[in-house]
Amino acid sequence: MLSMKNNSHYNLFFSIRLATLICTITSIILFILSYFIERSFENYTIKQNIAELDAVINTMQSELYARDYLDSSNNNRFEQNFSLILASHYRLFVYIEDKAGHVIFNTKGPDLLITKQHPEFYQLMATGKTGIWEHKNHSYRIAVAKISLTDDNQYTIIAAIGREQQSHYVSHLHEGLTILIIITSMISFVWTMAAIYLTQKPIERLTTRIQSVTSKHLNERIPLSIVPAKFIGIVHAFNDMLARIEDVFQRQRNFTADIAHEIRTPITNLVTQTQIALSNARTTDEYREVLYSNLEEYERLSKMITDMLFLAQADNKQLTPELVDINLKAMFTMIFDYFEPVIEDNNISFDLEGEDLIIEGDRLMLTRAIYNLISNAIRYTPSGQTITVSLKHLNKNLIQFIVANPGKKIAPEHLPKLFDRFYRVDKSRQRNGEGAGIGLAIVKSIIETLKGKICAESDELSTRIIVTLPIKNDYQNEDDKLRY
Ligand SMILES: Nc1ncnc2c1ncn2[C@@H]1O[C@H](COP(=O)(O)OP(=O)(O)O)[C@@H](O)[C@H]1O
Ligand SMILES: [Mg+2]
């Protein structure tokens, strides 16, 4: 739990760092953007002021021309015209004088004549550019033009426009953009924190649930309801994995319990028989009898331990088959011969049908597997009936043999479990038979070691164990494997 807490501290630290980073990047980008917006807006207003000054000077020029050539008598009318022109321009001032220095026209406002004292004045006049004039806490953009209509009719026009309006707009824009940057940065911080929280929370919940899975709670599954849709795939996979682990754990537990149980029975028998033998004085023959009986139990134990060791080796993939060519039909015949005395006693017969099959396999392993299958078949075949073994090629790579024996039908739910360790359909039969229920488990691990498959079928007519094996042991064709 402590680690969980540290983890969430770490997560908070991480979230804040990430959010700060994103917030900083957002602010920087917005800052750069707003700088360019402000600059271009400023340039735009400057261009507008210059255009306005130009327009006014041009109009004045035409008016002066009209005044000199068309109607020089009515001075008043021209002043009126000048005033009319300027009426539509806010804070635009004009001063006009003629060659002799007489004032032709002057608007109320700043004394534009003062600008003549600045050396830059003549520069402006020569270049036709505009300049900035600071006067009595006000700032103006000014333009100066010298107009020569004739040698006598020469005029100087000074036009100035107040820049307050322009800088007022720019500073307004600046304020607006600054507020925008602050709000956007704050939103991006909060948004990032929220986004991290929203994605982190389900992961934390998931982690807590996963941490609560222990070997004692393997039956727990992560509920799909606690995670968002995008994690459902992972949770499914995790739950499936848990199911597989639980299954293995369960088998392992059962296996240990089964071993203890299977070993206890013969040991108890040995203890009881020995105690009885020792409780009174016995003749040599009686002792011999007890020892024979004990020997049987020792052999049962020994066989069981050998089988278990074999299975343990198979589990650890320590079984390495010694590959030789094997004639399966010949092998079956040999094993039938071995069981001849037993089947005669039980009045059972064998029928071996099918082709001569040569496959690559381990002689000892295959003998052991077939021996187990035939001894099972003999045990469950009613007296007077026949065990049938059939061999055939499935295709050029695979062969199949089926060991079929008549007898009681095995219910379908038992069929897949027959190959489990210690699994017996009828638990009570153990003392009559000899096996502990690991015969088919061994057959299965042998067949799988030889890269084959095994399954069981059963109906009223017979019970059939079906084995498929590759002819060549290094055979690896995925298409054929699917047909198993
Ligand atoms: N040929 C068969 N006919 C009917 N039942 C079978 C046959 N082979 C196996 N079984 C069933 O499968 C169980 C497991 O077989 P096996 O692993 O060989 O164990 P065991 O022979 O020690 O009982 C048997 O207990 C029996 O119930
Ligand atoms: Mg058996």
Side-chain angles (χ1 to χ4, degrees), residues 303 372-381 403-410 414 417-427 429-430 433-443 458 462-465:
K303 182 177 180 297
N372 280 353
L373 291 178
I374 301 295
S375 71
N376 275 353
I378 293 171
R379 191 171 330 141
Y380 297 103
T381 303
V403 179
N405 65 279
K408 232 171 84 186
K409 177 189 169 179
I410 303 175
H414 292 300
K417 297 187 197 150
L418 293 188
F419 302 97
D420 288 354
R421 287 153 203 204
F422 298 112
Y423 192 85
R424 286 186 300 258
V425 176
D426 184 356
K427 311 272 180 220
R429 281 195 64 156
Q430 195 216 340
E434 80 227 48
I438 43 182
L440 284 181
I442 285 183
V443 176
S458 188
S462 67
T463 294
R464 297 172 297 279
I465 308 291

